[in-house]
Amino acid sequence: MTAVTDVLIRPMAEPDLLAYKALRDAMLTSHPEAFTSDAETESRRDLASYRNRLAGNGSTLFTLVALDGPKLVGALTCEREPRRNVHHLAHLIGMMVSDTHAGRGIGRALLAETLARLRAT
């Protein structure tokens, strides 16, 4: 876990899913140009469909969240290539920081923590 600018960064857990979806839906609506998904379709997406982004489920996909107190204000999802010959490759699936917390270094901290986790495995 990393703390930056009074924000805690840690792996997303089951209780974070509702706040994660709310942040994602808000960001899709506010910044449609930043996503490959569209707000209308994603707003109807079932909350359970985000469970595969939780760390520790044996997947190479994980999401880190940034919390300002109890409020989820940012997230970064990453997928590491599972094949041994290309295990050094990872893909950032998406990163978002709430407009209320933009410019505080949260995106940079999410990326730094993601890189640290990838290097450690």
Side-chain angles (χ1 to χ4, degrees):
M1 290 190 268
T2 301
V4 137
T5 63
D6 299 327
V7 174
L8 174 70
I9 296 176
R10 64 162 171 74
M12 184 165 68
E14 182 82 24
D16 300 319
L17 289 175
L18 187 59
Y20 173 82
K21 180 176 177 11
L23 175 63
R24 189 166 188 274
D25 288 348
M27 293 290 95
L28 281 161
T29 300
S30 300
H31 306 282
E33 72 286 351
F35 293 86
T36 57
S37 302
D38 68 276
E40 183 181 346
T41 302
E42 292 298 298
S43 68
R44 294 189 304 265
R45 188 170 170 179
D46 183 23
L47 185 64
S49 68
Y50 294 108
R51 280 197 181 101
N52 70 331
R53 297 177 185 213
L54 299 174
N57 61 6
S59 170
T60 56
L61 187 68
F62 67 91
T63 298
L64 298 180
V65 294
L67 298 156
D68 186 2
K71 185 176 180 182
L72 195 147
V73 297
L76 188 152
T77 300
C78 180
E79 183 171 26
R80 181 174 220 150
E81 199 43 72
R83 297 171 292 170
R84 187 170 60 172
N85 286 352
V86 288
H87 189 68
H88 61 284
L89 298 176
H91 307 277
L92 300 181
I93 306 301
M95 182 169 74
M96 56 193 167
V97 175
S98 171
D99 290 337
T100 61
H101 287 69
R104 292 177 50 184
I106 295 169
R108 186 177 301 114
L110 283 164
L111 184 56
E113 182 65 20
T114 297
L115 292 173
R117 287 175 181 273
L118 289 169
R119 287 183 185 116
T121 58

